[in-house]
Amino acid sequence: MSAVKNIVLVHGGFVDGSGWQPVYRLLTRDGFNVSVVQNPTHSLEGDAAVTRQVLDAQDGPTVLVGHSYGGAVITEAGRHEGVAALVYIAAFAPDRGESVGTLIADPAPGAPVPPILPPQDGFLFLDREKFPASFAADVAPEDARFMADSQVPWGVDALNGTVTEAAWRARPSWYLVATDDRMIPPPAQRTMAERAGATVTEAAGSHAIYISRPEAVAELIKQAATLQA
């Protein structure tokens, strides 16, 4: 069966698009045209605009993929006419009027709390010492430390940016739940996926499952691409 050939990958907060490299390699090896958005993570509006620019450059239908905060970005940008399907990888899937901030405002009792430090000049960072265990527990220790030491500042305006219209209400969606995630609790992931009507797959992995389990991530993306052919 033929598949949608264009894939656009959107990263989340505290990291950049280079983390998608293992998934990129698997997808390009299988013949997909893959683009990686380098969203600045200053504001949701700005990141959605950058994502739309990448979507404008595609030559046909596209599967739009978001990890973590990138899920909010694809929810906002995914109403673009070129988007055939949405794929959420351990990601936020807000509805109209919601932000990542509202989604994390009331954690369930006993749920892990991300080690986000107080804002500095309008930007957020994760505690470097706690970053590996919270974000990348199943990534090679030296790589997790590098991720902690090379964090991208995440804007408070990105955290609090609200979705105008949820793309998952108009596009088919898929969701990969990372069952060992200590940034977005798996129960919260399941709840958002169910609300979005997503086709759900679960895999053992940390919040950085796109790095530690790229095969599982690529497989779900390919499934979305094939079913949207």
Side-chain angles (χ1 to χ4, degrees), residues 135-173:
F135 197 106
D138 55 355
V139 174
E142 61 271 25
D143 293 335
R145 286 195 297 271
F146 177 79
M147 292 171 68
D149 290 336
S150 62
Q151 289 182 62
V152 177
W154 187 27
V156 172
D157 288 344
L159 173 75
N160 294 326
T162 57
V163 167
T164 57
E165 294 290 343
W168 48 259
R169 292 193 175 276
R171 301 285 188 273
S173 61

Side-chain angles (χ1 to χ4, degrees), residues 45-187:
E45 181 182 6
D47 294 336
V50 171
T51 300
R52 291 188 194 101
Q53 288 180 334
V54 176
L55 290 168
D56 286 342
Q58 305 305 305
D59 61 1
T62 300
V63 174
L64 183 59
V65 184
H67 169 256
S68 192
Y69 159 71
V73 177
I74 71 170
T75 299
E76 180 67 13
R79 289 174 289 114
H80 187 285
E81 62 183 8
V83 174
L86 304 166
V87 180
Y88 293 86
I89 307 299
F92 293 102
D95 202 351
R96 179 180 183 178
E98 292 181 341
S99 66
V100 171
T102 61
L103 291 174
I104 67 173
D106 189 22
V113 177
I116 301 175
L117 298 172
Q120 300 178 25
D121 300 321
F123 291 94
L124 300 168
F125 292 88
L126 292 178
D127 184 308
R128 287 186 177 186
E129 296 302 316
K130 297 177 180 178
F131 184 108
S134 295
F135 197 106
D138 55 355
V139 174
E142 61 271 25
D143 293 335
R145 286 195 297 271
F146 177 79
M147 292 171 68
D149 290 336
S150 62
Q151 289 182 62
V152 177
W154 187 27
V156 172
D157 288 344
L159 173 75
N160 294 326
T162 57
V163 167
T164 57
E165 294 290 343
W168 48 259
R169 292 193 175 276
R171 301 285 188 273
S173 61
W174 279 255
Y175 197 112
L176 178 62
V177 174
T179 61
D180 300 323
D181 198 327
R182 297 189 63 80
M183 292 289 292
I184 306 177

